[in-house]
Amino acid sequence: QVQLVQSGGGLVQAGGSLRLSCVASGRTFSSYTMGWFRQAPGKEREFVAAKSWSGVNPRYQDSVKGRFTISRDNAKNTVYLQMNSLKPEDTAVYYCAAAMVGGTPAASALYNYWGQGTQVTVSS
């Protein structure tokens, strides 16, 4: 069993930056693929970024490439999402998630555990 507790988020002006954190319980954090998803009002949850246990070749949604960076500190059981050059269309509830599969899946159904979600609001 893994529990994910998120922090960060909030309100920022367009062009600004935020960092989200997600701390996992359990001793096998390093073996999980970690991902970030988001859900805007009236829209389905969508993939944002993922990083496997090895950290090689993270995967990003096209709309965030070059602006967002996913990183993980296995010693601290923590995954981060650094968000720069934020746009109003990035406004959503962001979720971290853990998957027991390899690689960097974009399908939410492959993720086994989810954080509680945190609101990110970008004003224009």
Side-chain angles (χ1 to χ4, degrees), residues 19-88:
R19 188 177 81 159
L20 306 181
S21 301
C22 175
V23 180
S25 64
R27 293 176 291 180
T28 59
F29 170 80
S30 60
S31 64
Y32 286 88
T33 286
M34 298 301 297
W36 287 96
F37 290 76
R38 66 187 181 186
Q39 187 167 18
K43 296 186 177 181
E44 293 189 355
R45 190 171 299 187
E46 64 175 5
F47 171 79
V48 176
K51 196 164 193 177
S52 68
W53 66 270
S54 69
V56 176
N57 296 329
R59 182 178 184 176
Y60 296 94
Q61 183 198 108
D62 286 346
S63 69
V64 307
K65 283 181 180 178
R67 300 189 298 122
F68 290 12
T69 302
I70 185 172
S71 61
R72 61 188 297 167
D73 185 337
N74 289 339
K76 295 182 178 179
N77 281 11
T78 302
V79 62
Y80 305 96
L81 185 68
Q82 177 67 43
M83 304 183 292
N84 298 329
S85 301
L86 282 161
K87 304 175 181 180

Short mmCIF file of all heavy atoms in Angstrom, two decimals, residues 19-88:
data_model
loop_
_atom_site.label_atom_id
_atom_site.label_comp_id
_atom_site.label_asym_id
_atom_site.label_seq_id
_atom_site.Cartn_x
_atom_site.Cartn_y
_atom_site.Cartn_z
N ARG A 19 5.82 25.02 -7.85
CA ARG A 19 6.34 23.66 -7.72
C ARG A 19 5.40 22.84 -6.85
O ARG A 19 5.05 23.24 -5.75
CB ARG A 19 7.74 23.65 -7.11
CG ARG A 19 8.37 22.26 -7.16
CD ARG A 19 9.78 22.23 -6.64
NE ARG A 19 9.83 22.17 -5.19
CZ ARG A 19 10.89 21.73 -4.50
NH1 ARG A 19 11.97 21.31 -5.15
NH2 ARG A 19 10.88 21.73 -3.18
N LEU A 20 5.04 21.70 -7.39
CA LEU A 20 4.22 20.75 -6.65
C LEU A 20 5.11 19.64 -6.10
O LEU A 20 6.07 19.23 -6.76
CB LEU A 20 3.15 20.14 -7.56
CG LEU A 20 2.24 21.10 -8.32
CD1 LEU A 20 1.22 20.32 -9.14
CD2 LEU A 20 1.55 22.05 -7.36
N SER A 21 4.77 19.18 -4.92
CA SER A 21 5.48 18.07 -4.31
C SER A 21 4.51 16.95 -3.96
O SER A 21 3.32 17.20 -3.69
CB SER A 21 6.20 18.53 -3.02
OG SER A 21 7.12 19.55 -3.28
N CYS A 22 5.03 15.76 -3.93
CA CYS A 22 4.21 14.59 -3.60
C CYS A 22 5.08 13.61 -2.84
O CYS A 22 6.06 13.10 -3.38
CB CYS A 22 3.67 13.96 -4.88
SG CYS A 22 2.75 12.42 -4.65
N VAL A 23 4.75 13.40 -1.57
CA VAL A 23 5.52 12.50 -0.72
C VAL A 23 4.79 11.18 -0.60
O VAL A 23 3.58 11.13 -0.31
CB VAL A 23 5.73 13.11 0.68
CG1 VAL A 23 6.54 12.16 1.55
CG2 VAL A 23 6.43 14.46 0.57
N ALA A 24 5.52 10.11 -0.80
CA ALA A 24 4.94 8.76 -0.76
C ALA A 24 5.35 8.04 0.51
O ALA A 24 6.49 8.13 0.96
CB ALA A 24 5.38 7.96 -1.97
N SER A 25 4.43 7.29 1.05
CA SER A 25 4.75 6.42 2.16
C SER A 25 5.20 5.08 1.61
O SER A 25 5.03 4.80 0.42
CB SER A 25 3.53 6.22 3.05
OG SER A 25 2.52 5.55 2.33
N GLY A 26 5.75 4.25 2.42
CA GLY A 26 6.15 2.93 1.95
C GLY A 26 7.63 2.89 1.60
O GLY A 26 8.24 3.90 1.28
N ARG A 27 8.16 1.69 1.63
CA ARG A 27 9.60 1.52 1.43
C ARG A 27 9.96 1.18 0.00
O ARG A 27 11.12 1.00 -0.31
CB ARG A 27 10.11 0.42 2.36
CG ARG A 27 10.04 0.80 3.83
CD ARG A 27 10.46 -0.36 4.71
NE ARG A 27 9.49 -1.44 4.66
CZ ARG A 27 9.62 -2.58 5.34
NH1 ARG A 27 10.70 -2.79 6.06
NH2 ARG A 27 8.69 -3.51 5.27
N THR A 28 8.97 1.07 -0.89
CA THR A 28 9.27 0.66 -2.26
C THR A 28 9.03 1.78 -3.25
O THR A 28 8.83 1.54 -4.43
CB THR A 28 8.41 -0.55 -2.65
OG1 THR A 28 7.02 -0.19 -2.53
CG2 THR A 28 8.72 -1.74 -1.78
N PHE A 29 9.07 3.02 -2.77
CA PHE A 29 8.83 4.16 -3.65
C PHE A 29 9.72 4.13 -4.87
O PHE A 29 9.28 4.41 -5.98
CB PHE A 29 9.06 5.46 -2.87
CG PHE A 29 9.06 6.69 -3.72
CD1 PHE A 29 7.85 7.26 -4.13
CD2 PHE A 29 10.24 7.30 -4.13
CE1 PHE A 29 7.83 8.40 -4.91
CE2 PHE A 29 10.23 8.44 -4.91
CZ PHE A 29 9.02 8.99 -5.30
N SER A 30 10.97 3.77 -4.69
CA SER A 30 11.93 3.84 -5.79
C SER A 30 11.58 2.88 -6.92
O SER A 30 12.09 3.04 -8.03
CB SER A 30 13.34 3.56 -5.28
OG SER A 30 13.42 2.27 -4.71
N SER A 31 10.73 1.90 -6.67
CA SER A 31 10.40 0.93 -7.71
C SER A 31 9.17 1.34 -8.53
O SER A 31 8.84 0.68 -9.51
CB SER A 31 10.16 -0.44 -7.10
OG SER A 31 9.04 -0.41 -6.24
N TYR A 32 8.52 2.42 -8.15
CA TYR A 32 7.31 2.86 -8.84
C TYR A 32 7.62 3.90 -9.91
O TYR A 32 8.50 4.73 -9.74
CB TYR A 32 6.32 3.49 -7.85
CG TYR A 32 5.61 2.50 -6.96
CD1 TYR A 32 6.18 2.11 -5.75
CD2 TYR A 32 4.38 1.97 -7.31
CE1 TYR A 32 5.53 1.20 -4.93
CE2 TYR A 32 3.73 1.07 -6.49
CZ TYR A 32 4.32 0.70 -5.30
OH TYR A 32 3.67 -0.20 -4.50
N THR A 33 6.86 3.84 -10.97
CA THR A 33 6.79 4.96 -11.89
C THR A 33 5.89 6.01 -11.25
O THR A 33 4.83 5.68 -10.72
CB THR A 33 6.20 4.53 -13.24
OG1 THR A 33 7.18 3.77 -13.95
CG2 THR A 33 5.82 5.73 -14.08
N MET A 34 6.32 7.27 -11.29
CA MET A 34 5.53 8.35 -10.72
C MET A 34 5.04 9.28 -11.83
O MET A 34 5.79 9.58 -12.76
CB MET A 34 6.36 9.14 -9.72
CG MET A 34 6.83 8.33 -8.52
SD MET A 34 5.47 7.59 -7.59
CE MET A 34 4.60 9.06 -7.00
N GLY A 35 3.81 9.68 -11.72
CA GLY A 35 3.23 10.54 -12.74
C GLY A 35 2.46 11.71 -12.15
O GLY A 35 2.13 11.70 -10.96
N TRP A 36 2.21 12.67 -13.01
CA TRP A 36 1.36 13.81 -12.67
C TRP A 36 0.24 13.89 -13.70
O TRP A 36 0.50 13.76 -14.91
CB TRP A 36 2.15 15.11 -12.66
CG TRP A 36 3.07 15.26 -11.49
CD1 TRP A 36 4.41 14.96 -11.45
CD2 TRP A 36 2.72 15.73 -10.19
NE1 TRP A 36 4.91 15.23 -10.20
CE2 TRP A 36 3.90 15.71 -9.41
CE3 TRP A 36 1.55 16.20 -9.59
CZ2 TRP A 36 3.93 16.11 -8.07
CZ3 TRP A 36 1.57 16.60 -8.27
CH2 TRP A 36 2.76 16.56 -7.53
N PHE A 37 -0.95 14.12 -13.22
CA PHE A 37 -2.12 14.31 -14.07
C PHE A 37 -2.81 15.60 -13.64
O PHE A 37 -2.52 16.14 -12.57
CB PHE A 37 -3.10 13.12 -13.91
CG PHE A 37 -2.59 11.84 -14.50
CD1 PHE A 37 -1.62 11.09 -13.84
CD2 PHE A 37 -3.07 11.38 -15.71
CE1 PHE A 37 -1.14 9.90 -14.38
CE2 PHE A 37 -2.61 10.19 -16.26
CZ PHE A 37 -1.64 9.46 -15.59
N ARG A 38 -3.74 16.07 -14.46
CA ARG A 38 -4.51 17.24 -14.09
C ARG A 38 -5.92 17.13 -14.64
O ARG A 38 -6.16 16.43 -15.62
CB ARG A 38 -3.84 18.52 -14.58
CG ARG A 38 -3.79 18.68 -16.08
CD ARG A 38 -2.95 19.91 -16.45
NE ARG A 38 -2.89 20.11 -17.89
CZ ARG A 38 -2.14 21.03 -18.49
NH1 ARG A 38 -1.38 21.85 -17.74
NH2 ARG A 38 -2.14 21.16 -19.80
N GLN A 39 -6.82 17.83 -13.98
CA GLN A 39 -8.21 17.83 -14.41
C GLN A 39 -8.77 19.24 -14.28
O GLN A 39 -8.85 19.77 -13.17
CB GLN A 39 -9.05 16.84 -13.60
CG GLN A 39 -10.46 16.67 -14.13
CD GLN A 39 -11.16 15.47 -13.53
OE1 GLN A 39 -10.75 14.94 -12.49
NE2 GLN A 39 -12.22 15.02 -14.17
N ALA A 40 -9.14 19.80 -15.41
CA ALA A 40 -9.75 21.13 -15.43
C ALA A 40 -11.26 20.98 -15.32
O ALA A 40 -11.82 19.92 -15.63
CB ALA A 40 -9.38 21.84 -16.73
N PRO A 41 -11.95 22.03 -14.88
CA PRO A 41 -13.41 21.95 -14.73
C PRO A 41 -14.08 21.55 -16.05
O PRO A 41 -13.78 22.12 -17.10
CB PRO A 41 -13.79 23.38 -14.33
CG PRO A 41 -12.57 23.92 -13.69
CD PRO A 41 -11.41 23.33 -14.42
N GLY A 42 -14.93 20.56 -15.97
CA GLY A 42 -15.68 20.13 -17.14
C GLY A 42 -14.89 19.28 -18.11
O GLY A 42 -15.40 18.93 -19.18
N LYS A 43 -13.66 18.94 -17.74
CA LYS A 43 -12.82 18.14 -18.64
C LYS A 43 -12.39 16.85 -17.96
O LYS A 43 -12.44 16.73 -16.74
CB LYS A 43 -11.59 18.94 -19.09
CG LYS A 43 -11.92 20.16 -19.92
CD LYS A 43 -10.66 20.80 -20.45
CE LYS A 43 -10.97 21.98 -21.35
NZ LYS A 43 -9.73 22.61 -21.88
N GLU A 44 -11.94 15.90 -18.77
CA GLU A 44 -11.46 14.66 -18.22
C GLU A 44 -10.03 14.84 -17.69
O GLU A 44 -9.31 15.75 -18.10
CB GLU A 44 -11.47 13.57 -19.30
CG GLU A 44 -12.87 13.18 -19.74
CD GLU A 44 -12.89 11.95 -20.64
OE1 GLU A 44 -11.80 11.47 -21.00
OE2 GLU A 44 -13.98 11.47 -20.95
N ARG A 45 -9.66 13.94 -16.79
CA ARG A 45 -8.30 13.96 -16.27
C ARG A 45 -7.33 13.65 -17.40
O ARG A 45 -7.56 12.74 -18.19
CB ARG A 45 -8.17 12.93 -15.15
CG ARG A 45 -6.87 13.02 -14.37
CD ARG A 45 -6.91 12.12 -13.15
NE ARG A 45 -7.97 12.50 -12.23
CZ ARG A 45 -8.12 11.95 -11.03
NH1 ARG A 45 -7.28 10.99 -10.63
NH2 ARG A 45 -9.11 12.32 -10.24
N GLU A 46 -6.23 14.40 -17.45
CA GLU A 46 -5.27 14.19 -18.52
C GLU A 46 -3.86 14.05 -17.97
O GLU A 46 -3.52 14.58 -16.93
CB GLU A 46 -5.30 15.36 -19.53
CG GLU A 46 -4.89 16.70 -18.97
CD GLU A 46 -4.83 17.79 -20.03
OE1 GLU A 46 -5.21 17.53 -21.18
OE2 GLU A 46 -4.40 18.91 -19.68
N PHE A 47 -3.07 13.32 -18.72
CA PHE A 47 -1.68 13.07 -18.38
C PHE A 47 -0.86 14.35 -18.53
O PHE A 47 -1.06 15.12 -19.47
CB PHE A 47 -1.13 11.99 -19.30
CG PHE A 47 0.35 11.79 -19.21
CD1 PHE A 47 0.89 11.05 -18.17
CD2 PHE A 47 1.20 12.32 -20.16
CE1 PHE A 47 2.26 10.85 -18.08
CE2 PHE A 47 2.57 12.12 -20.09
CZ PHE A 47 3.10 11.38 -19.04
N VAL A 48 0.07 14.55 -17.60
CA VAL A 48 0.97 15.70 -17.67
C VAL A 48 2.41 15.25 -17.85
O VAL A 48 3.10 15.68 -18.77
CB VAL A 48 0.86 16.58 -16.41
CG1 VAL A 48 1.89 17.72 -16.45
CG2 VAL A 48 -0.55 17.14 -16.27
N ALA A 49 2.89 14.39 -16.95
CA ALA A 49 4.28 13.96 -16.99
C ALA A 49 4.45 12.67 -16.19
O ALA A 49 3.65 12.38 -15.31
CB ALA A 49 5.20 15.04 -16.44
N ALA A 50 5.50 11.94 -16.51
CA ALA A 50 5.80 10.72 -15.77
C ALA A 50 7.30 10.46 -15.79
O ALA A 50 7.99 10.84 -16.74
CB ALA A 50 5.05 9.52 -16.35
N LYS A 51 7.75 9.79 -14.72
CA LYS A 51 9.16 9.45 -14.63
C LYS A 51 9.26 8.07 -13.99
O LYS A 51 8.70 7.83 -12.93
CB LYS A 51 9.92 10.48 -13.80
CG LYS A 51 11.43 10.42 -13.95
CD LYS A 51 12.08 11.69 -13.43
CE LYS A 51 13.53 11.79 -13.86
NZ LYS A 51 14.17 13.04 -13.44
N SER A 52 9.99 7.19 -14.62
CA SER A 52 10.13 5.83 -14.11
C SER A 52 11.09 5.80 -12.93
O SER A 52 11.72 6.80 -12.59
CB SER A 52 10.64 4.90 -15.21
OG SER A 52 11.97 5.25 -15.54
N TRP A 53 11.23 4.62 -12.35
CA TRP A 53 12.09 4.48 -11.18
C TRP A 53 13.54 4.83 -11.52
O TRP A 53 14.28 5.34 -10.69
CB TRP A 53 12.00 3.07 -10.63
CG TRP A 53 12.57 2.03 -11.55
CD1 TRP A 53 11.89 1.34 -12.51
CD2 TRP A 53 13.92 1.58 -11.62
NE1 TRP A 53 12.74 0.50 -13.18
CE2 TRP A 53 13.99 0.62 -12.64
CE3 TRP A 53 15.08 1.90 -10.91
CZ2 TRP A 53 15.18 -0.03 -12.98
CZ3 TRP A 53 16.26 1.24 -11.23
CH2 TRP A 53 16.30 0.30 -12.26
N SER A 54 13.95 4.56 -12.76
CA SER A 54 15.32 4.84 -13.15
C SER A 54 15.56 6.31 -13.45
O SER A 54 16.70 6.77 -13.46
CB SER A 54 15.69 4.01 -14.38
OG SER A 54 14.97 4.48 -15.51
N GLY A 55 14.47 7.02 -13.72
CA GLY A 55 14.59 8.44 -14.02
C GLY A 55 15.01 8.76 -15.44
O GLY A 55 15.13 9.93 -15.80
N VAL A 56 15.20 7.72 -16.23
CA VAL A 56 15.66 7.94 -17.61
C VAL A 56 14.46 8.27 -18.49
O VAL A 56 13.40 7.68 -18.37
CB VAL A 56 16.38 6.68 -18.14
CG1 VAL A 56 16.75 6.86 -19.60
CG2 VAL A 56 17.60 6.40 -17.29
N ASN A 57 14.66 9.21 -19.42
CA ASN A 57 13.65 9.55 -20.41
C ASN A 57 12.27 9.82 -19.83
O ASN A 57 11.30 9.07 -20.08
CB ASN A 57 13.53 8.43 -21.45
CG ASN A 57 14.81 8.27 -22.24
OD1 ASN A 57 15.53 9.24 -22.47
ND2 ASN A 57 15.09 7.05 -22.65
N PRO A 58 12.10 10.87 -19.04
CA PRO A 58 10.76 11.24 -18.58
C PRO A 58 9.88 11.57 -19.78
O PRO A 58 10.36 11.90 -20.86
CB PRO A 58 11.01 12.47 -17.71
CG PRO A 58 12.30 13.03 -18.20
CD PRO A 58 13.11 11.86 -18.63
N ARG A 59 8.59 11.48 -19.53
CA ARG A 59 7.61 11.69 -20.59
C ARG A 59 6.73 12.87 -20.24
O ARG A 59 6.35 13.03 -19.07
CB ARG A 59 6.76 10.42 -20.77
CG ARG A 59 5.73 10.47 -21.87
CD ARG A 59 5.03 9.13 -21.94
NE ARG A 59 4.07 9.06 -23.03
CZ ARG A 59 3.39 7.97 -23.34
NH1 ARG A 59 3.54 6.86 -22.64
NH2 ARG A 59 2.53 7.98 -24.34
N TYR A 60 6.41 13.69 -21.23
CA TYR A 60 5.59 14.87 -21.00
C TYR A 60 4.48 14.97 -22.04
O TYR A 60 4.64 14.55 -23.20
CB TYR A 60 6.44 16.15 -21.10
CG TYR A 60 7.51 16.26 -20.05
CD1 TYR A 60 8.81 15.83 -20.29
CD2 TYR A 60 7.22 16.81 -18.81
CE1 TYR A 60 9.79 15.94 -19.33
CE2 TYR A 60 8.20 16.92 -17.82
CZ TYR A 60 9.48 16.48 -18.10
OH TYR A 60 10.46 16.58 -17.13
N GLN A 61 3.39 15.56 -21.61
CA GLN A 61 2.36 15.96 -22.56
C GLN A 61 2.95 17.06 -23.43
O GLN A 61 3.71 17.91 -22.94
CB GLN A 61 1.13 16.47 -21.81
CG GLN A 61 -0.03 16.85 -22.70
CD GLN A 61 -1.03 17.75 -21.99
OE1 GLN A 61 -1.11 18.93 -22.30
NE2 GLN A 61 -1.79 17.21 -21.08
N ASP A 62 2.58 17.08 -24.69
CA ASP A 62 3.17 18.05 -25.62
C ASP A 62 3.00 19.50 -25.15
O ASP A 62 3.90 20.33 -25.31
CB ASP A 62 2.57 17.89 -27.01
CG ASP A 62 3.09 16.65 -27.72
OD1 ASP A 62 4.10 16.07 -27.26
OD2 ASP A 62 2.48 16.27 -28.74
N SER A 63 1.86 19.80 -24.56
CA SER A 63 1.58 21.20 -24.21
C SER A 63 2.43 21.72 -23.06
O SER A 63 2.48 22.93 -22.84
CB SER A 63 0.10 21.36 -23.86
OG SER A 63 -0.20 20.71 -22.64
N VAL A 64 3.10 20.83 -22.32
CA VAL A 64 3.92 21.28 -21.20
C VAL A 64 5.42 21.10 -21.44
O VAL A 64 6.23 21.50 -20.61
CB VAL A 64 3.52 20.57 -19.89
CG1 VAL A 64 2.01 20.70 -19.64
CG2 VAL A 64 3.94 19.12 -19.88
N LYS A 65 5.76 20.49 -22.55
CA LYS A 65 7.18 20.28 -22.84
C LYS A 65 7.93 21.61 -22.88
O LYS A 65 7.47 22.58 -23.46
CB LYS A 65 7.34 19.56 -24.19
CG LYS A 65 7.03 18.09 -24.14
CD LYS A 65 7.23 17.45 -25.51
CE LYS A 65 6.92 15.96 -25.47
NZ LYS A 65 7.05 15.33 -26.81
N GLY A 66 9.09 21.62 -22.23
CA GLY A 66 9.89 22.83 -22.18
C GLY A 66 9.49 23.80 -21.08
O GLY A 66 10.22 24.76 -20.80
N ARG A 67 8.34 23.54 -20.45
CA ARG A 67 7.87 24.42 -19.36
C ARG A 67 7.82 23.69 -18.02
O ARG A 67 8.08 24.29 -16.98
CB ARG A 67 6.48 24.97 -19.69
CG ARG A 67 6.41 25.77 -20.97
CD ARG A 67 5.04 26.46 -21.12
NE ARG A 67 3.94 25.52 -21.20
CZ ARG A 67 2.90 25.50 -20.37
NH1 ARG A 67 2.83 26.37 -19.38
NH2 ARG A 67 1.92 24.62 -20.54
N PHE A 68 7.44 22.44 -18.04
CA PHE A 68 7.31 21.64 -16.82
C PHE A 68 8.46 20.64 -16.75
O PHE A 68 8.92 20.12 -17.76
CB PHE A 68 6.00 20.87 -16.81
CG PHE A 68 4.76 21.70 -16.66
CD1 PHE A 68 4.77 23.07 -16.78
CD2 PHE A 68 3.54 21.08 -16.38
CE1 PHE A 68 3.62 23.83 -16.63
CE2 PHE A 68 2.38 21.82 -16.22
CZ PHE A 68 2.43 23.20 -16.36
N THR A 69 8.88 20.35 -15.51
CA THR A 69 9.91 19.35 -15.29
C THR A 69 9.50 18.45 -14.13
O THR A 69 9.19 18.94 -13.04
CB THR A 69 11.26 20.00 -14.95
OG1 THR A 69 11.65 20.87 -16.02
CG2 THR A 69 12.34 18.94 -14.76
N ILE A 70 9.49 17.15 -14.39
CA ILE A 70 9.22 16.18 -13.33
C ILE A 70 10.56 15.67 -12.81
O ILE A 70 11.48 15.40 -13.58
CB ILE A 70 8.34 15.02 -13.83
CG1 ILE A 70 7.99 14.09 -12.67
CG2 ILE A 70 8.97 14.28 -15.00
CD1 ILE A 70 6.96 13.02 -13.05
N SER A 71 10.67 15.60 -11.51
CA SER A 71 11.89 15.06 -10.91
C SER A 71 11.49 14.24 -9.68
O SER A 71 10.38 14.36 -9.17
CB SER A 71 12.84 16.19 -10.51
OG SER A 71 12.26 17.05 -9.55
N ARG A 72 12.40 13.41 -9.26
CA ARG A 72 12.11 12.59 -8.09
C ARG A 72 13.36 12.43 -7.25
O ARG A 72 14.48 12.39 -7.77
CB ARG A 72 11.54 11.23 -8.50
CG ARG A 72 12.44 10.37 -9.36
CD ARG A 72 11.69 9.13 -9.87
NE ARG A 72 11.27 8.25 -8.80
CZ ARG A 72 10.40 7.27 -8.95
NH1 ARG A 72 9.83 7.04 -10.13
NH2 ARG A 72 10.07 6.49 -7.92
N ASP A 73 13.15 12.36 -5.96
CA ASP A 73 14.22 12.12 -5.00
C ASP A 73 13.85 10.84 -4.25
O ASP A 73 13.02 10.87 -3.33
CB ASP A 73 14.35 13.31 -4.05
CG ASP A 73 15.52 13.19 -3.10
OD1 ASP A 73 15.98 12.05 -2.85
OD2 ASP A 73 15.96 14.21 -2.57
N ASN A 74 14.41 9.75 -4.68
CA ASN A 74 14.03 8.46 -4.09
C ASN A 74 14.42 8.36 -2.62
O ASN A 74 13.77 7.65 -1.84
CB ASN A 74 14.65 7.32 -4.89
CG ASN A 74 14.01 7.15 -6.26
OD1 ASN A 74 12.88 7.59 -6.49
ND2 ASN A 74 14.73 6.53 -7.18
N ALA A 75 15.46 9.08 -2.23
CA ALA A 75 15.87 9.06 -0.82
C ALA A 75 14.83 9.72 0.07
O ALA A 75 14.72 9.40 1.26
CB ALA A 75 17.22 9.74 -0.66
N LYS A 76 14.08 10.67 -0.51
CA LYS A 76 13.06 11.38 0.25
C LYS A 76 11.64 10.90 -0.09
O LYS A 76 10.66 11.48 0.38
CB LYS A 76 13.16 12.89 -0.02
CG LYS A 76 14.45 13.52 0.47
CD LYS A 76 14.46 15.02 0.22
CE LYS A 76 15.72 15.66 0.75
NZ LYS A 76 15.75 17.14 0.49
N ASN A 77 11.56 9.88 -0.93
CA ASN A 77 10.24 9.37 -1.35
C ASN A 77 9.36 10.49 -1.92
O ASN A 77 8.15 10.53 -1.66
CB ASN A 77 9.51 8.70 -0.18
CG ASN A 77 10.02 7.30 0.10
OD1 ASN A 77 11.04 6.89 -0.44
ND2 ASN A 77 9.32 6.57 0.94
N THR A 78 9.95 11.36 -2.69
CA THR A 78 9.24 12.54 -3.15
C THR A 78 9.40 12.72 -4.66
O THR A 78 10.49 12.51 -5.20
CB THR A 78 9.76 13.79 -2.43
OG1 THR A 78 9.59 13.62 -1.02
CG2 THR A 78 8.97 15.03 -2.86
N VAL A 79 8.30 13.11 -5.29
CA VAL A 79 8.32 13.48 -6.69
C VAL A 79 7.86 14.94 -6.78
O VAL A 79 7.01 15.37 -6.00
CB VAL A 79 7.44 12.54 -7.54
CG1 VAL A 79 5.98 12.60 -7.13
CG2 VAL A 79 7.60 12.84 -9.02
N TYR A 80 8.46 15.66 -7.70
CA TYR A 80 8.17 17.08 -7.87
C TYR A 80 7.68 17.36 -9.28
O TYR A 80 8.01 16.64 -10.23
CB TYR A 80 9.42 17.92 -7.62
CG TYR A 80 10.07 17.68 -6.29
CD1 TYR A 80 11.14 16.79 -6.16
CD2 TYR A 80 9.65 18.36 -5.15
CE1 TYR A 80 11.76 16.57 -4.94
CE2 TYR A 80 10.26 18.15 -3.92
CZ TYR A 80 11.31 17.26 -3.83
OH TYR A 80 11.92 17.05 -2.61
N LEU A 81 6.93 18.44 -9.40
CA LEU A 81 6.58 18.96 -10.72
C LEU A 81 6.86 20.46 -10.68
O LEU A 81 6.13 21.21 -10.03
CB LEU A 81 5.11 18.70 -11.08
CG LEU A 81 4.72 19.13 -12.49
CD1 LEU A 81 5.42 18.23 -13.53
CD2 LEU A 81 3.21 19.06 -12.69
N GLN A 82 7.93 20.84 -11.35
CA GLN A 82 8.28 22.25 -11.47
C GLN A 82 7.57 22.81 -12.69
O GLN A 82 7.75 22.30 -13.80
CB GLN A 82 9.79 22.43 -11.60
CG GLN A 82 10.23 23.87 -11.79
CD GLN A 82 9.96 24.72 -10.57
OE1 GLN A 82 10.20 24.31 -9.44
NE2 GLN A 82 9.47 25.94 -10.78
N MET A 83 6.77 23.83 -12.49
CA MET A 83 5.98 24.40 -13.57
C MET A 83 6.40 25.84 -13.80
O MET A 83 6.24 26.68 -12.91
CB MET A 83 4.49 24.32 -13.22
CG MET A 83 4.02 22.91 -12.90
SD MET A 83 2.25 22.80 -12.56
CE MET A 83 2.15 23.69 -11.02
N ASN A 84 6.94 26.10 -14.96
CA ASN A 84 7.38 27.45 -15.32
C ASN A 84 6.56 27.97 -16.48
O ASN A 84 5.88 27.21 -17.17
CB ASN A 84 8.86 27.43 -15.71
CG ASN A 84 9.76 26.98 -14.57
OD1 ASN A 84 9.47 27.21 -13.40
ND2 ASN A 84 10.86 26.32 -14.92
N SER A 85 6.63 29.27 -16.70
CA SER A 85 5.90 29.91 -17.81
C SER A 85 4.44 29.46 -17.84
O SER A 85 3.90 29.06 -18.88
CB SER A 85 6.58 29.57 -19.15
OG SER A 85 7.93 30.01 -19.14
N LEU A 86 3.82 29.51 -16.70
CA LEU A 86 2.44 29.02 -16.59
C LEU A 86 1.48 29.85 -17.42
O LEU A 86 1.64 31.07 -17.57
CB LEU A 86 2.02 29.00 -15.13
CG LEU A 86 2.57 27.81 -14.33
CD1 LEU A 86 2.52 28.08 -12.85
CD2 LEU A 86 1.80 26.54 -14.67
N LYS A 87 0.47 29.17 -17.94
CA LYS A 87 -0.54 29.78 -18.78
C LYS A 87 -1.92 29.57 -18.12
O LYS A 87 -2.10 28.61 -17.37
CB LYS A 87 -0.54 29.14 -20.16
CG LYS A 87 0.80 29.18 -20.87
CD LYS A 87 0.73 28.42 -22.19
CE LYS A 87 2.07 28.44 -22.91
NZ LYS A 87 2.02 27.69 -24.18
N PRO A 88 -2.89 30.42 -18.43
CA PRO A 88 -4.24 30.22 -17.87
C PRO A 88 -4.79 28.82 -18.17
O PRO A 88 -5.52 28.26 -17.35
CB PRO A 88 -5.05 31.31 -18.55
CG PRO A 88 -4.06 32.40 -18.80
CD PRO A 88 -2.78 31.69 -19.17
#
